[in-house]
Amino acid sequence: MNPSMIIPKEEMGGREKELKIHFTPGHVEVAEENVHVPFRRVLVTGAKGLLGRAVYKEFQDNDWYTVGCGYSRARPRFEKCNLLDADAVRAMIQEFQPHVIVHCAAERRPDVVESQTDAAIQLNVSAAGNLAKEAGVSFVIYISTDYVFDGRNPPYDVNDTPNPLNLYGKTKLEGEREVLRNNMGAAVLRVPVLYGDVEKLEESAITVMFDTVQNSTDLISIDHCQQRFPTYVKDVGRVCRQLAESRLQDPSLRGIFHFSGNEQMTKYEMACAIADAFSLPSSHLRPITETPVESGALRPHNPQLDCSRLENLGIGHRTPFKQGIKECLWPFLHDKRWRQSVFH
């Protein structure tokens, strides 16, 4: 027989009472012990994606009982749930009863949306609306995009009229409307192009440039026209948590919010900043200042977001781009000697 055994007894205000039974020869001792169990519960969809991983970690590291779900990339410690299956979504929410749901799952690649439109609509619109409907009293945070705007008259306030140029922006805008229609208390958080701790460089439109930056043997042309505001997923995760905690204090907090990094950069400027962060040459990078001829989905010229609504609530943190990009890209350095000398 085991020398001790722990039996859950009840949950009370974030402390779970347990019976701890100690066995010794000729003697059994029973004692109650308190084990901390966070009372705040959050469900993160798309928890294995670039943003979902950061959101999951942020809540988990800050005393939230955190459950992540995925489908095609679900792993043992995450729930596997097909968000297109209304019964599965309902069962998951009823079982876990989260205070907050952060909906990160989406098809966020504009060119893929153009070629796989029906599947993108199912995920970005139908699944989002159903999740909001089944959420009940849970506070839903729906992650949207700056691509709901056409980029012709920045910066964009939360009350400005959207006018997406591509199908990706249109599906996300329709997803916003479905969420707010099915759940009056929900929040929409629009964010721009993201980067962070990637599993592979292709996971972000920013990190994918790293191989180009490191390969200094050939001249590479990079867009120096369209304006972007690269945003670290760790900062977005913090915003989601702060927004959730603010909502627990103020039930009237709802509607549309904007958040982004505050450094305006073209792709060329981002590539040069990446090179500078790692003391790599950038002379092989060639800026293209003409308006790019789009080969895929149209992109807005400058969809800058006005983030004052969150800022007025004291919500938000912005990691400098060079600092954030160094944190997430150093494992992909070709020069292993440089990596070892700096980080070990």
Side-chain angles (χ1 to χ4, degrees):
M1 183 176 290
N2 292 332
S4 65
M5 181 183 301
I6 297 178
I7 304 175
K9 185 178 180 185
E10 60 183 345
E11 183 180 319
M12 299 179 61
R15 307 294 297 185
E16 186 175 276
K17 287 282 188 179
E18 294 182 334
L19 295 181
K20 191 167 186 178
I21 305 175
H22 299 274
F23 299 95
T24 57
H27 179 71
V28 177
E29 179 182 342
V30 180
E32 281 194 350
E33 292 191 1
N34 287 324
V35 177
H36 179 68
V37 176
F39 76 92
R40 302 176 298 182
R41 299 182 297 276
V42 59
L43 172 66
V44 181
T45 71
K48 286 309 301 173
L50 174 63
L51 177 59
R53 294 194 301 268
V55 171
Y56 181 93
K57 187 174 188 304
E58 174 67 25
F59 278 93
Q60 187 181 54
D61 290 349
N62 286 276
D63 207 29
W64 281 75
Y65 181 19
T66 310
V67 168
C69 74
Y71 186 58
S72 62
R73 292 197 290 172
R75 294 180 182 174
R77 68 191 182 98
F78 292 102
E79 296 291 326
K80 184 170 184 176
C81 181
N82 181 0
L83 296 177
L84 303 180
D85 183 339
D87 292 336
V89 170
R90 184 182 307 115
M92 179 175 62
I93 292 174
Q94 289 179 351
E95 179 180 355
F96 182 47
Q97 297 187 352
H99 297 96
V100 177
I101 301 173
V102 185
H103 185 40
C104 300
E107 178 49 73
R108 59 178 179 79
R109 297 166 294 179
D111 294 336
V112 172
V113 175
E114 297 283 338
S115 61
Q116 301 177 23
T117 305
D118 291 344
I121 290 173
Q122 286 292 307
L123 183 56
N124 291 358
V125 182
S126 302
N130 183 67
L131 184 73
K133 183 190 303 180
E134 298 295 343
V137 297
S138 303
F139 175 46
V140 177
I141 302 175
Y142 172 74
I143 305 297
S144 190
T145 173
D146 58 347
Y147 275 24
V148 299
F149 297 110
D150 58 23
R152 299 185 180 110
N153 190 31
Y156 292 95
D157 181 74
V158 295
N159 296 312
D160 286 335
T161 303
N163 182 35
L165 297 180
N166 57 42
L167 284 174
Y168 166 63
K170 291 175 182 177
T171 64
K172 293 300 289 183
L173 177 59
E174 192 58 34
E176 292 182 8
R177 291 168 175 167
E178 281 294 295
V179 167
L180 296 176
R181 182 176 68 85
N182 285 288
N183 192 312
M184 297 292 291
V188 168
L189 179 63
R190 293 171 178 155
V191 295
V193 61
L194 302 175
Y195 71 95
D197 294 332
V198 292
E199 295 180 342
K200 55 184 179 180
L201 293 176
E202 295 78 12
E203 203 171 7
S204 162
I206 297 174
T207 58
V208 73
M209 295 189 290
F210 196 33
D211 279 342
T212 295
V213 170
Q214 295 187 84
N215 180 13
S216 59
T217 58
D218 300 315
L219 284 176
I220 302 294
S221 298
I222 303 180
D223 174 60
H224 190 39
C225 181
Q226 293 179 340
Q227 303 298 314
R228 296 291 177 262
F229 293 80
T231 301
Y232 201 12
V233 290
K234 287 184 179 180
D235 295 339
V236 180
R238 181 184 293 195
V239 166
C240 290
R241 176 181 60 81
Q242 291 176 325
L243 188 57
E245 291 173 352
S246 296
R247 168 58 178 261
L248 294 182
Q249 300 296 321
D250 180 6
S252 69
L253 206 61
R254 65 190 69 183
I256 298 173
F257 299 86
H258 289 171
F259 179 73
S260 81
N262 57 3
E263 296 172 79
Q264 181 172 324
M265 311 172 84
T266 63
K267 277 194 172 182
Y268 169 75
E269 288 170 329
M270 283 186 258
C272 290
I274 292 171
D276 187 53
F278 291 96
S279 301
L280 296 169
S282 59
S283 56
H284 65 296
L285 305 175
R286 175 173 170 262
I288 301 298
T289 56
E290 300 84 9
T291 302
V293 177
E294 301 286 359
S295 58
L298 290 173
R299 267 74 165 174
H301 174 70
N302 183 358
Q304 179 182 3
L305 299 173
D306 180 332
C307 305
S308 57
R309 187 181 182 197
L310 278 178
E311 291 167 351
N312 291 338
L313 293 171
I315 293 176
H317 173 270
R318 294 180 173 93
T319 301
F321 180 72
K322 286 185 182 179
Q323 175 187 333
I325 206 68
K326 183 181 288 188
E327 287 178 3
C328 66
L329 283 184
W330 71 265
F332 296 90
L333 270 170
H334 294 166
D335 187 349
K336 302 297 191 298
R337 293 169 301 174
W338 188 95
R339 182 168 66 188
Q340 291 171 353
S341 65
V342 173
F343 292 96
H344 297 282

